[in-house]
Amino acid sequence: ESIRMQNVKELKIGRYSVKIGKFPNGFRFNIFDHDRSLFGKGVEDTEENAIEAARSLISQRKQQKLSERVDGIPTAEEFVEAFAAIKPSDAQWEMLNAHYNAPNRKLTSDQLADAAGYEHMYGANTQYGILGHKLSDHLEYMPPGKYKDGQPLWITILVNHEGQSFEEDTGHFQHEMREEVIAALEMMGF
């Protein structure tokens, strides 16, 4: 015999969805991640306590994820989750695939553009920047690279920002894929 929830509410806490309902034994809550998977639940005596308990579980989860990072950089597992959540475009996947398969995981912007069918490197830089921005937002991580005006260089969530590598033939700067991104792509079957 099932008991139906009455007055079910859904609220967003960060990227999490929390459903709270009144039952005879109190206010039950379920916390769902971006992919709708259940990651936490509980029962409290009041709705306010249920919301606070959900916030606490979310905060604990975030703290655990942060503690697993090396030098603050998201883990490969976090990147896998983020890629699934933000759903990169076909062109962005093509650039990631080409970058992953490149010698030493290094490509110039022109080579990234070729991989995705863009005529000019600006298309690739824009798309990699958009992808980096979405990843950074999802992972709540500010990438280390900055433009001269101080704005975030979003692709530095995907590539090492300190590497000074240049292609011998053209002298163009080569972007070296970050180890955590390489590991994430391998976990995803690359």
Side-chain angles (χ1 to χ4, degrees):
E1 174 180 352
S2 65
I3 300 172
R4 296 182 62 100
M5 285 199 310
Q6 299 171 2
N7 302 326
V8 176
K9 279 188 183 176
E10 184 170 357
L11 54 126
K12 293 291 275 177
I13 299 177
R15 68 173 201 239
Y16 302 95
S17 174
V18 180
K19 289 189 178 183
I20 299 173
K22 185 171 179 2
F23 279 82
N25 66 337
F27 288 84
R28 292 187 189 179
F29 66 90
N30 290 328
I31 307 168
F32 299 92
D33 209 336
H34 65 90
D35 62 358
R36 305 303 279 157
S37 62
L38 179 70
F39 99 81
K41 61 183 178 177
V43 180
E44 295 292 333
D45 57 343
T46 67
E47 184 176 4
E48 293 76 21
N49 288 349
I51 292 169
E52 191 52 42
R55 286 186 196 283
S56 178
L57 286 173
I58 290 167
S59 178
Q60 289 171 25
R61 184 172 199 203
K62 285 182 181 180
Q63 288 306 312
Q64 181 188 343
K65 285 184 183 258
L66 290 176
S67 73
E68 294 169 356
R69 292 180 177 184
V70 177
D71 297 326
I73 299 165
T75 64
E77 292 80 5
E78 287 181 281
F79 274 105
V80 169
E81 177 186 300
F83 282 127
I86 66 169
K87 298 175 178 57
S89 69
D90 290 344
Q92 291 166 342
W93 279 123
E94 288 169 9
M95 288 189 292
L96 286 167
N97 188 42
H99 206 168
Y100 175 83
N101 288 300
N104 300 317
R105 314 279 199 258
K106 295 179 181 180
L107 285 181
T108 66
S109 293
D110 281 334
Q111 291 167 328
L112 285 168
D114 288 344
Y118 293 110
E119 284 186 37
H120 200 277
M121 70 177 191
Y122 297 119
N125 286 347
T126 298
Q127 285 304 307
Y128 240 27
I130 289 169
L131 177 60
H133 196 164
K134 286 180 177 181
L135 286 168
S136 296
D137 287 350
H138 182 84
L139 294 168
E140 298 177 352
Y141 172 75
M142 185 54 68
K146 304 269 184 257
Y147 285 104
K148 289 180 177 146
D149 67 0
Q151 292 294 312
L153 182 56
W154 297 111
I155 67 166
T156 59
I157 193 171
L158 295 164
V159 301
N160 294 321
H161 75 289
E162 294 167 349
Q164 292 297 319
S165 178
F166 297 89
E167 186 183 45
E168 286 184 32
D169 295 346
T170 63
H172 290 171
F173 180 79
Q174 290 182 310
H175 303 286
E176 181 181 359
M177 187 174 269
R178 189 179 282 287
E179 286 298 320
E180 297 82 1
V181 175
I182 293 167
L185 294 175
E186 288 172 351
M187 291 167 75
M188 297 168 66
F190 274 64

